[in-house]
Amino acid sequence: MSMTKKLKSLPMAIAAAAVIAVVAPAGTPLVGPEVAEAQQPKKKKKSTRKVPALSLDFHKKITKGQEAMDEKNFAEAKSIINDALGRRGVNNYEKAVAYQYLANIAFEEEQPREAIRFYEQILAVREQIPEQLEISLLYNLAQLWYVQEDFDKSLKYVNEWEPRAETISVSQLIFISQIYYTKSDYSNTIKYVERGIREAETAGLEIKENWYQLILSSYWELGDFSKVRDTLELLLITWPKPSYWTQLAGVYGELGQDQTSFSVTEAAYKQGFLNDKPQQLVNHAQILLSRNAPIKAAWVLRDAFKDELVERTAANQKTLGQAYLLAAEYKDAVNPLSAAAKEDADGSLWFQIGQVLSQL
């Protein structure tokens, strides 16, 4: 489900509840299913705010507009609500309720910018609407601006919302981390994802792989390879995927842990995780050569050629031939060296082939 569709969840019953209301019920935050499940245990003290009441006449109009909306007759619903707005003596709270309905119609008509406009008009009279509705609107606007890729405005509303929120759910913490990531603030990205993970663990919720991927990407961007290694090890244990093996081998190399890097690459190779990575197969063969294991290097390239995983270029043929030579498998060295020699500009490979034939 798209984020725009999820945004259709502000409380539509607020009009009926507020005919004689002093404070209105809290708005429904725009989040996934975790919201009701994972809230921070410490709640901030609720404050009350006196708001004007809805007149009976205005409430009847709004109810008619709601009926038109239920029938998907959005043109009529807008006409009814705008008529209610245009009446004399409409107070700011009544305007806010009407704008909320118009915002919901904008969502139904897939006009998120129009919905933003109505929500911001509600905030223009925020002192005369229930505080919980105002707080919900701040968070919804943060998400709406995120969808519109205006990350500065999204973060502005989050920063206004967060200190006033009674509770902050796991999915909300992850959402905030995504805003920081888009703004290249990787330290805050990690901070909020880790908060989300702690909250999820406390509440017994599922920890998502993509949360750790967000942490991993942030550490990569920060150049903190020790943390990249730690995160990759966790991902590899929990969600064992080929890409994590090869990335981890590379990180060990960056950290100067060549033996561990080789061991991880060898393990990845044996599990077939390099089969779709031709350059890594060649690199693995070359590393085996440098580690005085020429016959293993030859087997890697021989099998890769046989299974058409690696292209039979002159350079790759030369590597295979030299691996056989170093392993004293002279007969097997002739064909790959001959194939490579056809593109050898200075003829040195032909001389080498001559020596091999003499040896045989």
Side-chain angles (χ1 to χ4, degrees):
M1 182 185 292
S2 71
M3 189 175 288
T4 301
K5 292 292 184 186
K6 288 182 183 177
L7 283 164
K8 299 175 182 177
S9 60
L10 273 178
M12 296 303 293
I14 192 169
V19 177
I20 53 171
V22 175
V23 292
T28 304
L30 183 156
V31 290
E34 300 100 322
V35 177
E37 300 169 351
Q39 303 287 355
Q40 289 188 349
K42 291 184 180 178
K43 292 190 176 184
K44 299 176 184 178
K45 185 179 178 182
K46 286 186 180 181
S47 62
T48 58
R49 177 187 291 172
K50 289 188 177 181
V51 300
L54 296 184
S55 68
L56 190 57
D57 183 56
F58 187 88
H59 179 248
K60 286 179 180 178
K61 273 280 184 186
I62 288 295
T63 303
K64 260 186 100 177
Q66 176 67 67
E67 289 169 359
M69 285 179 64
D70 292 342
E71 294 170 2
K72 303 295 182 183
N73 191 340
F74 300 127
E76 184 182 349
K78 281 191 282 189
S79 175
I80 293 168
I81 294 166
N82 283 321
D83 179 62
L85 270 172
R87 296 198 167 199
R88 263 182 153 183
V90 176
N91 64 46
N92 283 336
Y93 183 46
E94 289 171 331
K95 289 178 183 177
V97 171
Y99 290 145
Q100 188 178 333
Y101 276 85
L102 292 171
N104 278 281
I105 294 170
F107 283 126
E108 293 288 348
E109 295 181 332
E110 298 186 355
Q111 297 177 343
R113 288 265 179 184
E114 191 71 357
I116 288 172
R117 184 173 71 84
F118 287 124
Y119 281 159
E120 291 185 336
Q121 282 182 295
I122 297 173
L123 290 182
V125 293
R126 64 177 71 195
E127 292 304 320
Q128 295 187 29
I129 65 173
E131 189 171 3
Q132 287 304 113
L133 174 58
E134 177 195 351
I135 293 169
S136 293
L137 284 171
L138 291 171
Y139 184 72
N140 286 359
L141 280 164
Q143 289 201 308
L144 273 168
W145 280 119
Y146 184 87
V147 171
Q148 298 301 305
E149 299 184 358
D150 191 328
F151 305 118
D152 289 332
K153 284 186 179 177
S154 180
L155 186 59
K156 167 185 170 290
Y157 280 114
V158 158
N159 288 338
E160 194 176 348
W161 164 82
E162 186 178 358
R164 298 177 62 190
E166 290 180 18
T167 57
I168 302 178
S169 73
V170 172
S171 56
Q172 288 169 332
L173 289 167
I174 299 302
F175 170 62
I176 296 169
S177 75
Q178 291 169 333
I179 301 174
Y180 278 116
Y181 187 81
T182 60
K183 291 183 63 61
S184 302
D185 186 343
Y186 303 115
S187 296
N188 269 319
T189 301
I190 295 164
K191 171 186 166 184
Y192 277 92
V193 177
E194 288 180 341
R195 275 183 62 187
I197 290 170
R198 288 195 299 271
E199 289 295 325
E201 287 173 340
T202 301
L205 298 177
E206 179 189 1
I207 307 298
K208 303 291 181 66
E209 180 183 3
N210 61 355
W211 300 351
Y212 279 106
Q213 288 174 338
L214 202 52
I215 292 175
L216 178 66
S217 297
S218 297
Y219 279 131
W220 270 115
E221 295 291 345
L222 291 170
D224 190 338
F225 293 113
S226 294
K227 292 291 187 181
V228 170
R229 175 201 59 206
D230 295 344
T231 309
L232 274 170
E233 286 176 349
L234 188 150
L235 281 163
L236 184 59
I237 292 167
T238 314
W239 297 277
K241 289 183 177 176
S243 60
Y244 297 146
W245 284 90
T246 53
Q247 288 178 57
L248 187 57
V251 172
Y252 279 125
E254 289 285 346
L255 292 169
Q257 298 174 281
D258 294 335
Q259 176 58 47
T260 308
S261 176
F262 170 74
S263 298
V264 172
T265 304
E266 180 73 3
Y269 170 72
K270 287 180 177 178
Q271 295 176 84
F273 294 160
L274 303 185
N275 287 353
D276 60 343
K277 297 174 176 62
Q279 189 54 54
Q280 289 195 30
L281 282 168
V282 174
N283 290 346
H284 187 49
Q286 291 171 337
I287 291 169
L288 285 165
L289 273 175
S290 69
R291 297 178 68 86
N292 298 317
I295 194 58
K296 284 189 175 182
W299 291 341
V300 168
L301 284 177
R302 177 200 65 191
D303 293 344
F305 285 157
K306 180 182 175 183
D307 296 332
E308 298 183 348
L309 302 174
V310 170
E311 192 177 349
R312 294 176 181 266
T313 64
N316 290 341
Q317 294 275 20
K318 181 178 178 181
T319 301
L320 176 59
Q322 290 180 335
Y324 277 130
L325 276 182
L326 290 170
E329 298 288 342
Y330 301 121
K331 186 176 180 181
D332 290 328
V334 174
N335 285 339
L337 285 176
S338 298
K342 293 176 183 178
E343 298 184 35
D344 185 34
D346 61 9
S348 60
L349 278 179
W350 289 115
F351 180 75
Q352 198 170 32
I353 293 166
Q355 289 180 314
V356 171
L357 291 172
S358 296
Q359 186 68 35
L360 289 170

